[in-house]
Amino acid sequence: HAIARLANLFVPESEVAQRAKEEAGRAASNAREDRKEWLRQKRLKERLALKKKREEELKREEEKKRRKKAAKIAYRRWKRLQRQGKYYSKDKHKAVARQTAAPPI
């Protein structure tokens, strides 16, 4: 092994230039591959972020629709009780008649 390493130290000038050129080519190729991989990862992250953003927007819209529907139902219930002269008592958990005057003592 040591002899092989020594043999690599004593190579002709032309072979040194050839090896340097090959090493530079390998380094450039590795740099290109690294950049391609970096770009792939970057684009993947961007796509995932966009997908996540779309999903959150969809959830927000669904929540908005659900709340709007619940508010509409609550308003209809309130309006029906209002026509009947009643209101919903949270204490009794049911609709009770409205009192127009104070109860007699």
Side-chain angles (χ1 to χ4, degrees), residues 56-68:
E56 288 174 357
E57 184 66 28
L58 185 62
K59 282 182 184 177
R60 213 176 358 262
E61 288 298 320
E62 287 174 356
E63 180 66 18
K64 197 174 178 181
K65 285 179 184 178
R66 188 189 64 77
R67 286 178 184 234
K68 189 173 182 179

Side-chain angles (χ1 to χ4, degrees), residues 87-104:
Y87 69 98
Y88 188 80
S89 172
K90 289 183 181 177
D91 297 337
K92 298 177 183 176
H93 300 291
K94 64 179 184 176
V96 293
R98 241 179 241 290
Q99 294 178 347
T100 56

Side-chain angles (χ1 to χ4, degrees), residues 5 7 15-17 23 26 30 34-36 40 43 49 53-54 68 79 84 87 91 94-96 105:
R5 276 190 252 143
E15 194 173 329
V16 169
E23 184 58 34
R26 262 195 304 275
N30 287 343
D34 288 347
R35 176 154 172 75
K36 284 181 184 178
R40 252 192 305 267
R43 289 178 183 141
K53 185 178 177 183
R54 285 181 185 149
K68 189 173 182 179
K79 195 67 175 168
Q84 294 172 356
Y87 69 98
D91 297 337
K94 64 179 184 176
V96 293
I105 298 177

